[in-house]
Amino acid sequence: MQKLSEQEVIRRKALERLKELGINPYPAEEFVVTHTPEEAKRDYSPEEEQEEMSMAGRLMMKRVMGKASFAELKTPDGKMQLYISRDEICPEEDKTLYNEVFKRLLDIGDFIGVKGKLFTTKTGEITLRVSSLKLLSKSLRPLPIVKVDADGTVHDAFSDPELRYRQRYVDLIVNPDVSSIFVKRSKMISAVRRFFDDRGWMEVETPILQPIHGGAAARPFKTHHNTLDTDLYLRIANELYLKRLIVGGYKGVYEIGKMFRNEGMDRTHNPEFTLLEVYIAYKDYFWMMSMVESLLEEVAFKATGSTLVTFDGHDIDFKGPYRRLTMMDAIEQYSGVDVSGMNEEELRKVCKEFHIDVDNTMGTGKLIDEIFGEKVEPHLIQPTFITDYPIEMTPLAKKHRSKEGLVERFELFVAGKELANAYSELNDPIDQRARFEEQLRLAERGDEEAMALDNDFLRAMEYGMPPTSGLGIGMDRLAMLLTGQTSIQEVLFFPQMKPERKG
RNA sequence: GACUCGGUAGCUCAGCCGGUAGAGCAACGGCCUUUUAAGCCGUGGGUCCUGGGUUCGAAUCCCAGCCGGGUCACCA
């Protein structure tokens, strides 16, 4: 049994006293709510006769002034100030409900239901004059009370990140700004769904437990299925399954789902994260760029009410069209060096000049990517498409229609970070097999990122896959951009944490 | 993983040149029928993250560990 704090002991005693008084602290019957605070205030006019209304929520503040009190009720739809007068809720001789139940036994954090009519206080706040009051659920732990003064200054904020993430429920109760981040995130996700559903593309679900962790380069989480006696992996990507569905004949499929990567955690990486993947048949990556512009413009607007967001000190506009430039042009523009056509030796020289750390396992593609990451990425603040990547690092993209050594791939950068990644998908099964085999060679040389070969995926492709463009967008990063948060933990309800040590 | 900062009351923090712990809010008792960071008077509340060490004596100094934040590295 855990040791209770003084305040917890007091609340448990209050719970017992309530029971003695015949009050069930956790009643089963429905308390019918007739109004949200907003509805009530909107329809209120002081002259008109009112019907009695009822509301329910959490008691967040009590200001007792003898025989009358003000209280603050936090409902799921907004706040309402309550005015509670002893003789109005206790019209008879017995004043227990006010003197003992309300003043002593009800605590901040308790859920109550109230009935009454509105009036305007001296200071002009529309307030519910309570005629009756009912306990709906007793709270046994004290909430951290955050106070905001007349200037809007926050006092005693509940701000310890460890406590906030471990006890997100408390964070959500006392920090309305935190709660609204997740409302925006939810709107964002539903706007994405609506965008695709409106176009006739189908939301699908593909396996999370996979026998081969294909479609991306990352260390997986491993698990075991007892009945099948088989090792399985939590997916690091779903790309190869979605392409199988395109082979199966759907014109467009998308999935919004969790991916799992057993790697480092930091401000932009959580071991499980939400990825949007879209595959549309008969399209190429140019078409996909236009679609991304439409998508992000619409989603930003629906989630936040504007295409303009502020992130990390930058004003970012998601209104399309976005700047497009090839990777080689971008490098030349921001570093002054034209790396196109350079061999590995020349690229290493460039890296050395720029003081970029490289190692011997890196080929030309990786070296170019390093230069890009160092010299270009930080400058890409407004949404920018970078196109036409080296073939070595992109085993699932189609070879460029005209440029030797490149693939038809783009990434979208915003605020100096990658947000989306897309290809004209490789649909030549012979080429695909050759690319996988190249990855195997890299793996043999010690490249841990090399992609595993998936024979069933190749079999599917051999039956014929239509020309297709595919796209992935990190939903957590998009949520960060749309809510102005620079830490991924602030857009995940329950970010991964080490287990609490038992006290 | 490296470096760095932090962990003290329910919350936010002070105390850290060693001498058995403080403030504000919250809580408890009293007063108060239009308050809104309500106010006034009074009271209680602590595994000072954990474990070792130094010392007559450790929240404070030293060592190790745990948990978290930040930066970097790794990683898309």
Side-chain angles (χ1 to χ4, degrees), chain A residues 184 187-188 190-192 194-195 198 296-307:
Chain A
K184 277 186 192 167
K187 285 181 179 167
M188 174 191 91
S190 60
V192 169
R194 214 171 321 145
F195 183 92
D198 286 350
L296 293 183
E297 188 175 321
E298 182 171 320
V299 168
F301 188 81
K302 284 186 172 168
T304 71
S306 167
T307 62

Side-chain angles (χ1 to χ4, degrees), chain A residues 44-62:
Chain A
Y44 171 64
S45 79
E47 298 79 26
E48 282 174 37
E49 186 63 23
Q50 296 171 53
E51 295 286 306
E52 192 163 75
M53 56 185 74
S54 61
M55 297 181 192
R58 199 189 279 272
L59 192 61
M60 294 300 284
M61 189 73 78
K62 263 162 73 176

Side-chain angles (χ1 to χ4, degrees), chain A residues 387-446:
Chain A
T387 67
D388 303 345
Y389 282 64
I391 192 167
E392 292 86 350
M393 301 177 60
T394 317
L396 301 172
K398 191 176 271 194
K399 280 177 182 158
H400 196 280
R401 62 194 72 184
S402 61
K403 297 176 186 169
E404 191 64 31
L406 302 181
V407 289
E408 295 205 348
R409 172 184 185 180
F410 72 78
E411 292 189 312
L412 177 66
F413 287 86
V414 183
K417 294 267 164 51
E418 177 202 342
L419 177 64
N421 181 22
Y423 315 144
S424 297
E425 300 294 339
L426 178 54
N427 63 342
D428 173 345
I430 309 278
D431 189 6
Q432 183 66 80
R433 186 175 291 278
R435 302 268 202 101
F436 273 137
E437 281 165 357
E438 173 60 24
Q439 290 291 308
L440 285 181
R441 276 192 291 279
L442 289 173
E444 279 165 16
R445 267 176 38 189

Side-chain angles (χ1 to χ4, degrees), chain A residues 3 6-7 9 17 76 87 125 151 159 215 232 276 418 484:
Chain A
K3 200 179 156 210
E6 180 194 35
Q7 294 195 41
V9 170
R17 177 61 185 149
D87 295 334
E125 180 161 354
D151 303 329
S159 57
L232 293 169
L276 163 71
E418 177 202 342

Side-chain angles (χ1 to χ4, degrees), chain A residues 188-343:
Chain A
M188 174 191 91
I189 297 286
S190 60
V192 169
R193 285 215 165 85
R194 214 171 321 145
F195 183 92
F196 292 131
D197 293 345
D198 286 350
R199 284 160 179 76
W201 303 325
M202 187 168 80
E203 180 166 13
V204 298
E205 295 170 277
T206 62
I208 290 171
L209 292 174
Q210 301 179 349
I212 299 167
H213 51 281
R219 277 162 58 200
F221 288 93
K222 191 176 176 179
T223 185
H224 187 80
H225 190 285
N226 291 338
T227 303
L228 297 178
D229 192 21
T230 305
D231 284 341
L232 293 169
Y233 302 92
L234 271 63
R235 65 183 177 189
I236 58 173
N238 54 359
E239 172 157 357
L240 303 186
Y241 284 95
L242 292 170
K243 285 179 178 172
R244 285 172 171 94
L245 297 180
I246 293 294
V247 169
Y250 298 111
K251 66 176 175 183
V253 292
Y254 72 96
E255 181 168 12
I256 299 170
K258 285 277 181 78
M259 304 298 153
F260 307 85
R261 297 186 183 177
N262 204 343
E263 289 170 346
M265 296 164 60
D266 61 26
R267 236 172 53 258
T268 56
H269 295 84
N270 194 66
E272 58 180 286
F273 62 100
T274 303
L275 196 62
L276 163 71
E277 286 273 325
V278 196
Y279 291 81
I280 310 294
Y282 310 107
K283 304 298 183 189
D284 68 3
Y285 77 142
F286 289 111
W287 177 90
M288 187 63 87
M289 281 187 251
S290 303
M291 194 215 75
V292 168
E293 289 165 346
S294 308
L295 172 71
L296 293 183
E297 188 175 321
E298 182 171 320
V299 168
F301 188 81
K302 284 186 172 168
T304 71
S306 167
T307 62
L308 273 168
V309 302
T310 304
F311 181 82
D312 205 11
H314 301 291
D315 291 322
I316 290 161
D317 194 352
F318 279 104
K319 189 161 178 52
Y322 307 151
R323 188 157 71 116
R324 303 180 182 189
L325 71 168
T326 68
M327 189 178 226
M328 300 307 162
D329 288 347
I331 290 174
E332 186 171 4
Q333 187 172 328
Y334 288 99
S335 77
V337 177
D338 180 6
V339 297
S340 58
M342 280 191 181
N343 62 28

Side-chain angles (χ1 to χ4, degrees), chain A residues 64-213:
Chain A
V64 178
M65 297 163 303
K67 299 180 187 63
S69 302
F70 286 93
E72 191 178 280
L73 187 71
K74 176 183 153 72
T75 82
D77 303 292
K79 287 179 179 176
M80 187 79 213
Q81 180 168 262
L82 308 178
Y83 176 79
I84 298 159
S85 135
R86 185 192 70 182
D87 295 334
E88 287 174 46
I89 65 166
C90 304
E92 310 295 323
E93 245 349 78
D94 181 7
K95 306 296 185 191
T96 307
L97 178 63
Y98 182 80
N99 284 339
E100 185 167 10
V101 176
F102 174 73
K103 277 169 68 174
R104 295 178 199 282
L105 301 178
L106 287 191
D107 291 300
I108 287 169
D110 290 354
F111 285 91
I112 58 171
V114 291
K115 293 180 183 171
K117 296 180 181 179
L118 297 181
F119 75 109
T120 306
T121 64
K122 273 185 191 167
T123 51
E125 180 161 354
I126 300 172
T127 298
L128 188 77
R129 182 188 296 273
V130 174
S131 60
S132 70
L133 174 155
K134 182 184 181 187
L135 176 62
L136 300 181
S137 180
K138 182 82 190 130
S139 163
L140 297 181
R141 286 173 184 263
L143 280 176
I145 295 302
V146 179
K147 295 202 171 189
V148 183
D149 67 20
D151 303 329
T153 309
V154 176
H155 301 263
D156 301 322
F158 179 62
S159 57
D160 178 349
E162 181 168 3
L163 280 178
R164 288 182 49 234
Y165 301 152
R166 288 196 195 280
Q167 300 186 44
R168 179 70 88 182
Y169 34 88
V170 175
D171 194 25
L172 292 168
I173 293 164
V174 302
N175 292 326
D177 292 348
V178 172
S179 183
S180 74
I181 287 169
F182 292 99
V183 172
K184 277 186 192 167
R185 181 182 172 124
S186 177
K187 285 181 179 167
M188 174 191 91
I189 297 286
S190 60
V192 169
R193 285 215 165 85
R194 214 171 321 145
F195 183 92
F196 292 131
D197 293 345
D198 286 350
R199 284 160 179 76
W201 303 325
M202 187 168 80
E203 180 166 13
V204 298
E205 295 170 277
T206 62
I208 290 171
L209 292 174
Q210 301 179 349
I212 299 167
H213 51 281

